[in-house]
Amino acid sequence: MRFTQVQRQMAAALMQRLGPGDRLARRSATGHDVDVAAIIKPNSLLSARERLEIYSRAYWFRLLDAIRDDFPGLAAVLGQRAFEGLARAYLADCPSRSYTLRDLGSRLARWLAAHPEYGARNPRLAIDMARLEWAHIVAFDGPAGKVLDPEHLLELKPGLRLGLQPYISLLELQYPVDEMRVAINTSGHAPRRVVDQTRIHLAVHRAGLSVYYRRLTLPESRLLRSLRAGWPVEEAIGRCFRDSSGESEEMLAKLRAWFAAWSEFGWLTVREANGERSRP
Amino acid sequence: MKLSNNSLALAAAFAGLLGGTAARAAQTMPSGSTVGQAGLLAEAAADKKIEKHACKGLNSCKGQGGGDKKQWGKNECKGKGACATDGSKPKM
């Protein structure tokens, strides 16, 4: 057997889902018998299966640890037992596809929305928390685009299109999970009182090396989404205030304050393909 | 939209853009007022005591809490053989 074949079989054996009692499964996910003896030798103390099982369990327990590290808020909302059940089911359906454990939870919120039975008593709250915590990871170490500098503003014109930093997530949530997550981070457990449903708009971002959750008004969120989608600034502003009944002076002051804050945070970027919208 | 003139809105946006961009260019860190506007501090840089998943692939679990039951929390399992797969006992 070629060495690359041994490596592939070894990886497949290690990464297959653990069986009952967290033991190495006899059959792979595709239903084939795992030929352990072909890739690892027994010794006087352990069988080939037992030797391989040590690594397989280490692999899966490492993944479970990583998910728990990345989603402490979700673990607190669900409770430890329910969270472990969720993590195992998620990893079975969505195994790691990346070289880095950082990406392990990238599909969790979407998966949970499709499997609300793992959301305990309040799946909607659990989904919101999962979305926030993935956005937190993206904000922490996601890539950054080229920040808008003063020289980029020399040719300001109505058709100007701006980008938004890719590490910023704009979320519309049903529960105030931002406050919950910060409280959990401080106290280590979810609030005991029942959390009221409150629709919030949130930007999850970073400033320096710290991660922040910034609440947005609906028009502010709408404007940022329109800019990200590639609308020219003038049209994006029109879309943002389309349902507004406020006074003009107030709106102008808001616009000035928003753009000042966004550019000072470094949220706005140069749009390389300064042409088409990414979405209508 | 009650704005009587779109150019007024655009002028307000550009005024903010110029002010914010100039303020950013003039400082190395966000100003106090900007930090206040940043929102809830969810994770401060100082909270990162250890890099996430730092030991993956590096075979160096010191400080991460690995090893067998006797060594959990002692953080000194590197090189002690607690993860040995040949059934041998850790060196004492």
Side-chain angles (χ1 to χ4, degrees), chain B residues 23-65:
Chain B
R24 180 181 173 79
Q27 65 198 19
T28 52
M29 292 292 287
S31 66
S33 61
T34 311
V35 169
Q37 291 180 44
L40 275 175
L41 176 61
E43 184 170 15
D47 290 347
K48 283 280 163 204
K49 294 187 182 72
I50 54 171
E51 186 187 349
K52 275 186 182 173
H53 323 309
C55 65
K56 180 179 180 289
L58 299 180
N59 195 29
S60 174
C61 47
K62 183 176 178 180
Q64 308 288 320

PDB file of all heavy atoms in Angstrom, chain B residues 23-65:
ATOM      1  N   ALA B  23     -10.360  62.416  11.298  1.00  0.00           N
ATOM      2  CA  ALA B  23     -10.117  62.089  12.715  1.00  0.00           C
ATOM      3  C   ALA B  23      -9.377  60.768  12.830  1.00  0.00           C
ATOM      4  O   ALA B  23      -8.470  60.622  13.651  1.00  0.00           O
ATOM      5  CB  ALA B  23     -11.454  62.019  13.455  1.00  0.00           C
ATOM      6  N   ARG B  24      -9.751  59.828  11.996  1.00  0.00           N
ATOM      7  CA  ARG B  24      -9.082  58.526  12.032  1.00  0.00           C
ATOM      8  C   ARG B  24      -7.615  58.650  11.619  1.00  0.00           C
ATOM      9  O   ARG B  24      -6.733  58.040  12.222  1.00  0.00           O
ATOM     10  CB  ARG B  24      -9.806  57.552  11.091  1.00  0.00           C
ATOM     11  CG  ARG B  24      -9.187  56.183  11.060  1.00  0.00           C
ATOM     12  CD  ARG B  24      -9.911  55.257  10.102  1.00  0.00           C
ATOM     13  NE  ARG B  24      -9.188  54.007   9.982  1.00  0.00           N
ATOM     14  CZ  ARG B  24      -9.241  53.042  10.877  1.00  0.00           C
ATOM     15  NH1 ARG B  24     -10.011  53.174  11.935  1.00  0.00           N
ATOM     16  NH2 ARG B  24      -8.535  51.938  10.729  1.00  0.00           N
ATOM     17  N   ALA B  25      -7.393  59.467  10.595  1.00  0.00           N
ATOM     18  CA  ALA B  25      -6.028  59.618  10.103  1.00  0.00           C
ATOM     19  C   ALA B  25      -5.139  60.313  11.128  1.00  0.00           C
ATOM     20  O   ALA B  25      -3.928  60.113  11.145  1.00  0.00           O
ATOM     21  CB  ALA B  25      -6.041  60.416   8.802  1.00  0.00           C
ATOM     22  N   ALA B  26      -5.756  61.108  11.998  1.00  0.00           N
ATOM     23  CA  ALA B  26      -4.981  61.908  12.936  1.00  0.00           C
ATOM     24  C   ALA B  26      -4.629  61.150  14.212  1.00  0.00           C
ATOM     25  O   ALA B  26      -3.923  61.674  15.060  1.00  0.00           O
ATOM     26  CB  ALA B  26      -5.751  63.168  13.302  1.00  0.00           C
ATOM     27  N   GLN B  27      -5.133  59.964  14.356  1.00  0.00           N
ATOM     28  CA  GLN B  27      -4.882  59.234  15.599  1.00  0.00           C
ATOM     29  C   GLN B  27      -4.526  57.794  15.312  1.00  0.00           C
ATOM     30  O   GLN B  27      -4.874  57.244  14.278  1.00  0.00           O
ATOM     31  CB  GLN B  27      -6.118  59.287  16.499  1.00  0.00           C
ATOM     32  CG  GLN B  27      -7.306  58.577  15.893  1.00  0.00           C
ATOM     33  CD  GLN B  27      -8.607  59.003  16.545  1.00  0.00           C
ATOM     34  OE1 GLN B  27      -8.685  60.037  17.176  1.00  0.00           O
ATOM     35  NE2 GLN B  27      -9.632  58.197  16.376  1.00  0.00           N
ATOM     36  N   THR B  28      -3.812  57.181  16.261  1.00  0.00           N
ATOM     37  CA  THR B  28      -3.432  55.783  16.093  1.00  0.00           C
ATOM     38  C   THR B  28      -4.483  54.855  16.686  1.00  0.00           C
ATOM     39  O   THR B  28      -4.632  53.733  16.279  1.00  0.00           O
ATOM     40  CB  THR B  28      -2.087  55.492  16.766  1.00  0.00           C
ATOM     41  OG1 THR B  28      -2.149  55.963  18.114  1.00  0.00           O
ATOM     42  CG2 THR B  28      -0.963  56.198  16.044  1.00  0.00           C
ATOM     43  N   MET B  29      -5.211  55.344  17.677  1.00  0.00           N
ATOM     44  CA  MET B  29      -6.267  54.544  18.302  1.00  0.00           C
ATOM     45  C   MET B  29      -7.565  55.338  18.253  1.00  0.00           C
ATOM     46  O   MET B  29      -7.540  56.573  18.231  1.00  0.00           O
ATOM     47  CB  MET B  29      -5.926  54.253  19.779  1.00  0.00           C
ATOM     48  CG  MET B  29      -4.741  53.325  19.971  1.00  0.00           C
ATOM     49  SD  MET B  29      -5.099  51.653  19.410  1.00  0.00           S
ATOM     50  CE  MET B  29      -6.197  51.107  20.698  1.00  0.00           C
ATOM     51  N   PRO B  30      -8.732  54.647  18.266  1.00  0.00           N
ATOM     52  CA  PRO B  30      -9.987  55.376  18.284  1.00  0.00           C
ATOM     53  C   PRO B  30     -10.049  56.312  19.494  1.00  0.00           C
ATOM     54  O   PRO B  30      -9.535  55.989  20.563  1.00  0.00           O
ATOM     55  CB  PRO B  30     -11.044  54.270  18.400  1.00  0.00           C
ATOM     56  CG  PRO B  30     -10.370  53.046  17.888  1.00  0.00           C
ATOM     57  CD  PRO B  30      -8.923  53.199  18.236  1.00  0.00           C
ATOM     58  N   SER B  31     -10.653  57.470  19.296  1.00  0.00           N
ATOM     59  CA  SER B  31     -10.726  58.428  20.390  1.00  0.00           C
ATOM     60  C   SER B  31     -11.694  57.953  21.459  1.00  0.00           C
ATOM     61  O   SER B  31     -12.458  57.016  21.247  1.00  0.00           O
ATOM     62  CB  SER B  31     -11.209  59.769  19.843  1.00  0.00           C
ATOM     63  OG  SER B  31     -12.542  59.631  19.393  1.00  0.00           O
ATOM     64  N   GLY B  32     -11.667  58.630  22.599  1.00  0.00           N
ATOM     65  CA  GLY B  32     -12.548  58.229  23.688  1.00  0.00           C
ATOM     66  C   GLY B  32     -14.005  58.259  23.290  1.00  0.00           C
ATOM     67  O   GLY B  32     -14.769  57.344  23.601  1.00  0.00           O
ATOM     68  N   SER B  33     -14.386  59.299  22.540  1.00  0.00           N
ATOM     69  CA  SER B  33     -15.786  59.396  22.155  1.00  0.00           C
ATOM     70  C   SER B  33     -16.161  58.267  21.205  1.00  0.00           C
ATOM     71  O   SER B  33     -17.253  57.729  21.256  1.00  0.00           O
ATOM     72  CB  SER B  33     -16.039  60.748  21.487  1.00  0.00           C
ATOM     73  OG  SER B  33     -15.254  60.868  20.324  1.00  0.00           O
ATOM     74  N   THR B  34     -15.238  57.878  20.333  1.00  0.00           N
ATOM     75  CA  THR B  34     -15.537  56.811  19.387  1.00  0.00           C
ATOM     76  C   THR B  34     -15.661  55.482  20.109  1.00  0.00           C
ATOM     77  O   THR B  34     -16.539  54.680  19.799  1.00  0.00           O
ATOM     78  CB  THR B  34     -14.428  56.718  18.321  1.00  0.00           C
ATOM     79  OG1 THR B  34     -14.194  58.007  17.819  1.00  0.00           O
ATOM     80  CG2 THR B  34     -14.849  55.797  17.205  1.00  0.00           C
ATOM     81  N   VAL B  35     -14.770  55.248  21.062  1.00  0.00           N
ATOM     82  CA  VAL B  35     -14.846  53.994  21.813  1.00  0.00           C
ATOM     83  C   VAL B  35     -16.208  53.902  22.499  1.00  0.00           C
ATOM     84  O   VAL B  35     -16.841  52.849  22.530  1.00  0.00           O
ATOM     85  CB  VAL B  35     -13.688  53.891  22.832  1.00  0.00           C
ATOM     86  CG1 VAL B  35     -13.910  52.748  23.794  1.00  0.00           C
ATOM     87  CG2 VAL B  35     -12.374  53.711  22.099  1.00  0.00           C
ATOM     88  N   GLY B  36     -16.679  55.043  23.007  1.00  0.00           N
ATOM     89  CA  GLY B  36     -17.992  55.056  23.639  1.00  0.00           C
ATOM     90  C   GLY B  36     -19.091  54.687  22.666  1.00  0.00           C
ATOM     91  O   GLY B  36     -20.075  54.060  23.050  1.00  0.00           O
ATOM     92  N   GLN B  37     -18.929  55.052  21.408  1.00  0.00           N
ATOM     93  CA  GLN B  37     -19.938  54.739  20.391  1.00  0.00           C
ATOM     94  C   GLN B  37     -19.789  53.335  19.832  1.00  0.00           C
ATOM     95  O   GLN B  37     -20.630  52.887  19.066  1.00  0.00           O
ATOM     96  CB  GLN B  37     -19.797  55.711  19.213  1.00  0.00           C
ATOM     97  CG  GLN B  37     -20.189  57.139  19.505  1.00  0.00           C
ATOM     98  CD  GLN B  37     -19.986  57.980  18.254  1.00  0.00           C
ATOM     99  OE1 GLN B  37     -20.334  57.579  17.161  1.00  0.00           O
ATOM    100  NE2 GLN B  37     -19.410  59.147  18.420  1.00  0.00           N
ATOM    101  N   ALA B  38     -18.691  52.677  20.165  1.00  0.00           N
ATOM    102  CA  ALA B  38     -18.414  51.370  19.542  1.00  0.00           C
ATOM    103  C   ALA B  38     -19.418  50.314  19.972  1.00  0.00           C
ATOM    104  O   ALA B  38     -19.606  49.320  19.282  1.00  0.00           O
ATOM    105  CB  ALA B  38     -16.998  50.922  19.887  1.00  0.00           C
ATOM    106  N   GLY B  39     -20.071  50.516  21.104  1.00  0.00           N
ATOM    107  CA  GLY B  39     -21.071  49.571  21.572  1.00  0.00           C
ATOM    108  C   GLY B  39     -20.600  48.818  22.796  1.00  0.00           C
ATOM    109  O   GLY B  39     -19.678  49.255  23.491  1.00  0.00           O
ATOM    110  N   LEU B  40     -21.244  47.691  23.039  1.00  0.00           N
ATOM    111  CA  LEU B  40     -20.876  46.866  24.183  1.00  0.00           C
ATOM    112  C   LEU B  40     -19.527  46.208  23.935  1.00  0.00           C
ATOM    113  O   LEU B  40     -19.320  45.601  22.882  1.00  0.00           O
ATOM    114  CB  LEU B  40     -21.914  45.762  24.375  1.00  0.00           C
ATOM    115  CG  LEU B  40     -23.169  46.051  25.172  1.00  0.00           C
ATOM    116  CD1 LEU B  40     -24.094  44.839  25.118  1.00  0.00           C
ATOM    117  CD2 LEU B  40     -22.809  46.377  26.615  1.00  0.00           C
ATOM    118  N   LEU B  41     -18.647  46.331  24.892  1.00  0.00           N
ATOM    119  CA  LEU B  41     -17.362  45.648  24.766  1.00  0.00           C
ATOM    120  C   LEU B  41     -17.593  44.160  25.029  1.00  0.00           C
ATOM    121  O   LEU B  41     -17.935  43.755  26.138  1.00  0.00           O
ATOM    122  CB  LEU B  41     -16.356  46.212  25.771  1.00  0.00           C
ATOM    123  CG  LEU B  41     -14.997  45.524  25.822  1.00  0.00           C
ATOM    124  CD1 LEU B  41     -14.291  45.611  24.480  1.00  0.00           C
ATOM    125  CD2 LEU B  41     -14.131  46.133  26.905  1.00  0.00           C
ATOM    126  N   ALA B  42     -17.435  43.352  23.990  1.00  0.00           N
ATOM    127  CA  ALA B  42     -17.722  41.920  24.114  1.00  0.00           C
ATOM    128  C   ALA B  42     -16.494  41.116  24.466  1.00  0.00           C
ATOM    129  O   ALA B  42     -16.574  40.095  25.139  1.00  0.00           O
ATOM    130  CB  ALA B  42     -18.310  41.400  22.804  1.00  0.00           C
ATOM    131  N   GLU B  43     -15.360  41.578  23.987  1.00  0.00           N
ATOM    132  CA  GLU B  43     -14.124  40.864  24.293  1.00  0.00           C
ATOM    133  C   GLU B  43     -12.968  41.835  24.159  1.00  0.00           C
ATOM    134  O   GLU B  43     -12.673  42.305  23.068  1.00  0.00           O
ATOM    135  CB  GLU B  43     -13.922  39.684  23.339  1.00  0.00           C
ATOM    136  CG  GLU B  43     -12.703  38.859  23.667  1.00  0.00           C
ATOM    137  CD  GLU B  43     -12.655  37.558  22.877  1.00  0.00           C
ATOM    138  OE1 GLU B  43     -13.389  37.410  21.896  1.00  0.00           O
ATOM    139  OE2 GLU B  43     -11.873  36.690  23.262  1.00  0.00           O
ATOM    140  N   ALA B  44     -12.339  42.137  25.292  1.00  0.00           N
ATOM    141  CA  ALA B  44     -11.199  43.054  25.257  1.00  0.00           C
ATOM    142  C   ALA B  44      -9.964  42.288  24.854  1.00  0.00           C
ATOM    143  O   ALA B  44      -9.880  41.072  25.052  1.00  0.00           O
ATOM    144  CB  ALA B  44     -11.005  43.680  26.633  1.00  0.00           C
ATOM    145  N   ALA B  45      -9.018  43.008  24.275  1.00  0.00           N
ATOM    146  CA  ALA B  45      -7.778  42.364  23.845  1.00  0.00           C
ATOM    147  C   ALA B  45      -7.129  41.619  25.010  1.00  0.00           C
ATOM    148  O   ALA B  45      -6.579  40.539  24.846  1.00  0.00           O
ATOM    149  CB  ALA B  45      -6.834  43.416  23.288  1.00  0.00           C
ATOM    150  N   ALA B  46      -7.229  42.182  26.209  1.00  0.00           N
ATOM    151  CA  ALA B  46      -6.586  41.572  27.376  1.00  0.00           C
ATOM    152  C   ALA B  46      -7.250  40.268  27.796  1.00  0.00           C
ATOM    153  O   ALA B  46      -6.681  39.483  28.539  1.00  0.00           O
ATOM    154  CB  ALA B  46      -6.611  42.552  28.541  1.00  0.00           C
ATOM    155  N   ASP B  47      -8.508  40.036  27.312  1.00  0.00           N
ATOM    156  CA  ASP B  47      -9.197  38.789  27.660  1.00  0.00           C
ATOM    157  C   ASP B  47      -8.554  37.578  26.997  1.00  0.00           C
ATOM    158  O   ASP B  47      -8.807  36.446  27.377  1.00  0.00           O
ATOM    159  CB  ASP B  47     -10.665  38.844  27.226  1.00  0.00           C
ATOM    160  CG  ASP B  47     -11.461  39.824  28.069  1.00  0.00           C
ATOM    161  OD1 ASP B  47     -10.937  40.253  29.112  1.00  0.00           O
ATOM    162  OD2 ASP B  47     -12.593  40.155  27.675  1.00  0.00           O
ATOM    163  N   LYS B  48      -7.795  37.819  25.942  1.00  0.00           N
ATOM    164  CA  LYS B  48      -7.191  36.726  25.177  1.00  0.00           C
ATOM    165  C   LYS B  48      -5.946  36.221  25.890  1.00  0.00           C
ATOM    166  O   LYS B  48      -4.826  36.500  25.495  1.00  0.00           O
ATOM    167  CB  LYS B  48      -6.813  37.203  23.772  1.00  0.00           C
ATOM    168  CG  LYS B  48      -7.986  37.306  22.854  1.00  0.00           C
ATOM    169  CD  LYS B  48      -8.337  35.939  22.333  1.00  0.00           C
ATOM    170  CE  LYS B  48      -9.732  35.959  21.773  1.00  0.00           C
ATOM    171  NZ  LYS B  48     -10.383  34.701  21.741  1.00  0.00           N
ATOM    172  N   LYS B  49      -6.163  35.487  26.974  1.00  0.00           N
ATOM    173  CA  LYS B  49      -5.009  35.001  27.728  1.00  0.00           C
ATOM    174  C   LYS B  49      -4.242  33.960  26.927  1.00  0.00           C
ATOM    175  O   LYS B  49      -3.042  33.882  26.965  1.00  0.00           O
ATOM    176  CB  LYS B  49      -5.476  34.415  29.052  1.00  0.00           C
ATOM    177  CG  LYS B  49      -6.069  35.461  29.983  1.00  0.00           C
ATOM    178  CD  LYS B  49      -6.362  34.851  31.328  1.00  0.00           C
ATOM    179  CE  LYS B  49      -7.010  35.866  32.262  1.00  0.00           C
ATOM    180  NZ  LYS B  49      -8.388  36.164  31.888  1.00  0.00           N
ATOM    181  N   ILE B  50      -4.992  33.117  26.217  1.00  0.00           N
ATOM    182  CA  ILE B  50      -4.341  32.123  25.366  1.00  0.00           C
ATOM    183  C   ILE B  50      -4.997  32.167  24.000  1.00  0.00           C
ATOM    184  O   ILE B  50      -6.177  32.472  23.889  1.00  0.00           O
ATOM    185  CB  ILE B  50      -4.448  30.692  25.935  1.00  0.00           C
ATOM    186  CG1 ILE B  50      -5.908  30.334  26.218  1.00  0.00           C
ATOM    187  CG2 ILE B  50      -3.585  30.522  27.151  1.00  0.00           C
ATOM    188  CD1 ILE B  50      -6.112  28.883  26.574  1.00  0.00           C
ATOM    189  N   GLU B  51      -4.236  31.876  23.016  1.00  0.00           N
ATOM    190  CA  GLU B  51      -4.763  31.848  21.659  1.00  0.00           C
ATOM    191  C   GLU B  51      -5.740  30.700  21.531  1.00  0.00           C
ATOM    192  O   GLU B  51      -5.509  29.618  22.074  1.00  0.00           O
ATOM    193  CB  GLU B  51      -3.611  31.653  20.678  1.00  0.00           C
ATOM    194  CG  GLU B  51      -4.040  31.746  19.239  1.00  0.00           C
ATOM    195  CD  GLU B  51      -2.896  31.378  18.306  1.00  0.00           C
ATOM    196  OE1 GLU B  51      -1.760  31.275  18.800  1.00  0.00           O
ATOM    197  OE2 GLU B  51      -3.163  31.183  17.127  1.00  0.00           O
ATOM    198  N   LYS B  52      -6.848  30.942  20.819  1.00  0.00           N
ATOM    199  CA  LYS B  52      -7.824  29.876  20.637  1.00  0.00           C
ATOM    200  C   LYS B  52      -7.198  28.705  19.896  1.00  0.00           C
ATOM    201  O   LYS B  52      -6.564  28.890  18.878  1.00  0.00           O
ATOM    202  CB  LYS B  52      -9.018  30.397  19.857  1.00  0.00           C
ATOM    203  CG  LYS B  52     -10.027  31.069  20.748  1.00  0.00           C
ATOM    204  CD  LYS B  52     -11.260  31.448  19.990  1.00  0.00           C
ATOM    205  CE  LYS B  52     -12.202  32.154  20.952  1.00  0.00           C
ATOM    206  NZ  LYS B  52     -13.361  32.703  20.311  1.00  0.00           N
ATOM    207  N   HIS B  53      -7.423  27.515  20.438  1.00  0.00           N
ATOM    208  CA  HIS B  53      -6.976  26.300  19.762  1.00  0.00           C
ATOM    209  C   HIS B  53      -5.479  26.350  19.459  1.00  0.00           C
ATOM    210  O   HIS B  53      -5.028  25.881  18.441  1.00  0.00           O
ATOM    211  CB  HIS B  53      -7.763  26.059  18.478  1.00  0.00           C
ATOM    212  CG  HIS B  53      -9.213  26.434  18.588  1.00  0.00           C
ATOM    213  ND1 HIS B  53      -9.995  25.991  19.616  1.00  0.00           N
ATOM    214  CD2 HIS B  53      -9.996  27.209  17.821  1.00  0.00           C
ATOM    215  CE1 HIS B  53     -11.218  26.491  19.466  1.00  0.00           C
ATOM    216  NE2 HIS B  53     -11.246  27.232  18.392  1.00  0.00           N
ATOM    217  N   ALA B  54      -4.734  26.967  20.371  1.00  0.00           N
ATOM    218  CA  ALA B  54      -3.339  27.249  20.070  1.00  0.00           C
ATOM    219  C   ALA B  54      -2.496  26.000  19.906  1.00  0.00           C
ATOM    220  O   ALA B  54      -1.498  26.017  19.200  1.00  0.00           O
ATOM    221  CB  ALA B  54      -2.747  28.116  21.174  1.00  0.00           C
ATOM    222  N   CYS B  55      -2.901  24.911  20.561  1.00  0.00           N
ATOM    223  CA  CYS B  55      -2.000  23.767  20.549  1.00  0.00           C
ATOM    224  C   CYS B  55      -2.251  22.844  19.362  1.00  0.00           C
ATOM    225  O   CYS B  55      -1.527  21.895  19.156  1.00  0.00           O
ATOM    226  CB  CYS B  55      -2.121  22.973  21.845  1.00  0.00           C
ATOM    227  SG  CYS B  55      -3.726  22.207  22.059  1.00  0.00           S
ATOM    228  N   LYS B  56      -3.267  23.138  18.568  1.00  0.00           N
ATOM    229  CA  LYS B  56      -3.577  22.238  17.464  1.00  0.00           C
ATOM    230  C   LYS B  56      -2.377  22.106  16.529  1.00  0.00           C
ATOM    231  O   LYS B  56      -1.888  23.088  15.995  1.00  0.00           O
ATOM    232  CB  LYS B  56      -4.773  22.746  16.673  1.00  0.00           C
ATOM    233  CG  LYS B  56      -5.132  21.844  15.521  1.00  0.00           C
ATOM    234  CD  LYS B  56      -6.322  22.372  14.775  1.00  0.00           C
ATOM    235  CE  LYS B  56      -6.662  21.453  13.632  1.00  0.00           C
ATOM    236  NZ  LYS B  56      -5.672  21.528  12.559  1.00  0.00           N
ATOM    237  N   GLY B  57      -1.963  20.886  16.363  1.00  0.00           N
ATOM    238  CA  GLY B  57      -0.918  20.621  15.391  1.00  0.00           C
ATOM    239  C   GLY B  57       0.479  20.938  15.884  1.00  0.00           C
ATOM    240  O   GLY B  57       1.458  20.610  15.232  1.00  0.00           O
ATOM    241  N   LEU B  58       0.579  21.561  17.043  1.00  0.00           N
ATOM    242  CA  LEU B  58       1.902  21.958  17.509  1.00  0.00           C
ATOM    243  C   LEU B  58       2.480  20.956  18.501  1.00  0.00           C
ATOM    244  O   LEU B  58       3.626  21.068  18.883  1.00  0.00           O
ATOM    245  CB  LEU B  58       1.842  23.341  18.177  1.00  0.00           C
ATOM    246  CG  LEU B  58       1.381  24.470  17.268  1.00  0.00           C
ATOM    247  CD1 LEU B  58       1.370  25.788  18.034  1.00  0.00           C
ATOM    248  CD2 LEU B  58       2.305  24.588  16.064  1.00  0.00           C
ATOM    249  N   ASN B  59       1.679  19.988  18.896  1.00  0.00           N
ATOM    250  CA  ASN B  59       2.116  18.970  19.840  1.00  0.00           C
ATOM    251  C   ASN B  59       2.668  19.597  21.105  1.00  0.00           C
ATOM    252  O   ASN B  59       3.639  19.144  21.674  1.00  0.00           O
ATOM    253  CB  ASN B  59       3.182  18.061  19.183  1.00  0.00           C
ATOM    254  CG  ASN B  59       3.372  16.800  20.000  1.00  0.00           C
ATOM    255  OD1 ASN B  59       2.446  16.353  20.663  1.00  0.00           O
ATOM    256  ND2 ASN B  59       4.559  16.221  19.943  1.00  0.00           N
ATOM    257  N   SER B  60       2.065  20.695  21.484  1.00  0.00           N
ATOM    258  CA  SER B  60       2.523  21.384  22.683  1.00  0.00           C
ATOM    259  C   SER B  60       1.311  21.817  23.480  1.00  0.00           C
ATOM    260  O   SER B  60       0.761  22.871  23.257  1.00  0.00           O
ATOM    261  CB  SER B  60       3.355  22.610  22.312  1.00  0.00           C
ATOM    262  OG  SER B  60       3.673  23.330  23.477  1.00  0.00           O
ATOM    263  N   CYS B  61       0.874  20.951  24.407  1.00  0.00           N
ATOM    264  CA  CYS B  61      -0.352  21.256  25.125  1.00  0.00           C
ATOM    265  C   CYS B  61      -0.082  21.885  26.480  1.00  0.00           C
ATOM    266  O   CYS B  61      -0.975  22.082  27.281  1.00  0.00           O
ATOM    267  CB  CYS B  61      -1.212  20.009  25.284  1.00  0.00           C
ATOM    268  SG  CYS B  61      -0.286  18.596  25.843  1.00  0.00           S
ATOM    269  N   LYS B  62       1.149  22.259  26.730  1.00  0.00           N
ATOM    270  CA  LYS B  62       1.449  22.912  28.001  1.00  0.00           C
ATOM    271  C   LYS B  62       0.592  24.162  28.150  1.00  0.00           C
ATOM    272  O   LYS B  62       0.528  24.991  27.253  1.00  0.00           O
ATOM    273  CB  LYS B  62       2.927  23.289  28.049  1.00  0.00           C
ATOM    274  CG  LYS B  62       3.330  23.915  29.362  1.00  0.00           C
ATOM    275  CD  LYS B  62       4.812  24.163  29.388  1.00  0.00           C
ATOM    276  CE  LYS B  62       5.213  24.831  30.693  1.00  0.00           C
ATOM    277  NZ  LYS B  62       6.633  25.080  30.758  1.00  0.00           N
ATOM    278  N   GLY B  63      -0.055  24.278  29.286  1.00  0.00           N
ATOM    279  CA  GLY B  63      -0.897  25.442  29.517  1.00  0.00           C
ATOM    280  C   GLY B  63      -2.309  25.284  29.017  1.00  0.00           C
ATOM    281  O   GLY B  63      -3.157  26.115  29.252  1.00  0.00           O
ATOM    282  N   GLN B  64      -2.574  24.197  28.301  1.00  0.00           N
ATOM    283  CA  GLN B  64      -3.910  23.998  27.740  1.00  0.00           C
ATOM    284  C   GLN B  64      -4.708  22.943  28.503  1.00  0.00           C
ATOM    285  O   GLN B  64      -5.872  22.717  28.210  1.00  0.00           O
ATOM    286  CB  GLN B  64      -3.815  23.582  26.267  1.00  0.00           C
ATOM    287  CG  GLN B  64      -2.969  24.502  25.415  1.00  0.00           C
ATOM    288  CD  GLN B  64      -3.650  25.824  25.156  1.00  0.00           C
ATOM    289  OE1 GLN B  64      -4.848  25.854  24.924  1.00  0.00           O
ATOM    290  NE2 GLN B  64      -2.925  26.903  25.207  1.00  0.00           N
ATOM    291  N   GLY B  65      -4.064  22.245  29.417  1.00  0.00           N
ATOM    292  CA  GLY B  65      -4.803  21.277  30.229  1.00  0.00           C
ATOM    293  C   GLY B  65      -5.041  19.966  29.528  1.00  0.00           C
ATOM    294  O   GLY B  65      -6.160  19.622  29.216  1.00  0.00           O
TER     295      GLY B  65
END
